[in-house]
Amino acid sequence: MASGWAPDGAVQDQIDDSITDAVRLARSRLPTGPGEIYCQVCGEEIAETRRRAMPGARTCVDCQSGLDRPRAMSGINRRGSKDSQLK
């Protein structure tokens, strides 16, 4: 059900675009290349099980847990109302 000038499926298109952006952002944050033996943050040895499970790991589990705290989405405003565009 479209409202105004929006085509049918416009809301779903917005949802799909938001999910695609979030997946792209998450993939860009994954480590690439050869991993490290010692954590780049604390200097402790990274467990071999982590290195096998996560190729390219550069931090130990404890330090990575601290880095993985939720971040605010930069968010592109995809709403069509005038109020949301004025903020």
Side-chain angles (χ1 to χ4, degrees):
M1 174 172 86
S3 61
W5 296 100
D8 289 340
V11 172
Q12 187 62 47
D13 290 343
Q14 289 177 348
I15 293 168
D16 292 344
D17 288 342
S18 295
I19 291 171
T20 300
D21 290 347
V23 169
R24 188 177 295 126
L25 179 64
R27 285 183 177 158
S28 72
R29 292 180 177 164
L30 288 174
T32 58
E36 298 289 332
I37 295 174
Y38 297 98
C39 178
Q40 290 181 340
V41 177
C42 69
E44 294 291 320
E45 185 174 355
I46 300 172
E48 186 175 340
T49 53
R50 174 167 169 74
R51 287 185 278 145
R52 277 189 275 131
M54 182 67 119
R58 290 180 171 79
T59 56
C60 65
V61 173
D62 291 335
C63 292
Q64 189 63 47
S65 295
L67 296 172
D68 285 343
R69 278 182 248 129
R71 296 179 178 143
M73 293 291 288
S74 62
I76 296 171
N77 185 0
R78 290 194 171 96
R79 296 183 189 149
S81 71
K82 289 188 274 183
D83 292 339
S84 66
Q85 293 178 8
L86 294 174
K87 293 181 181 176

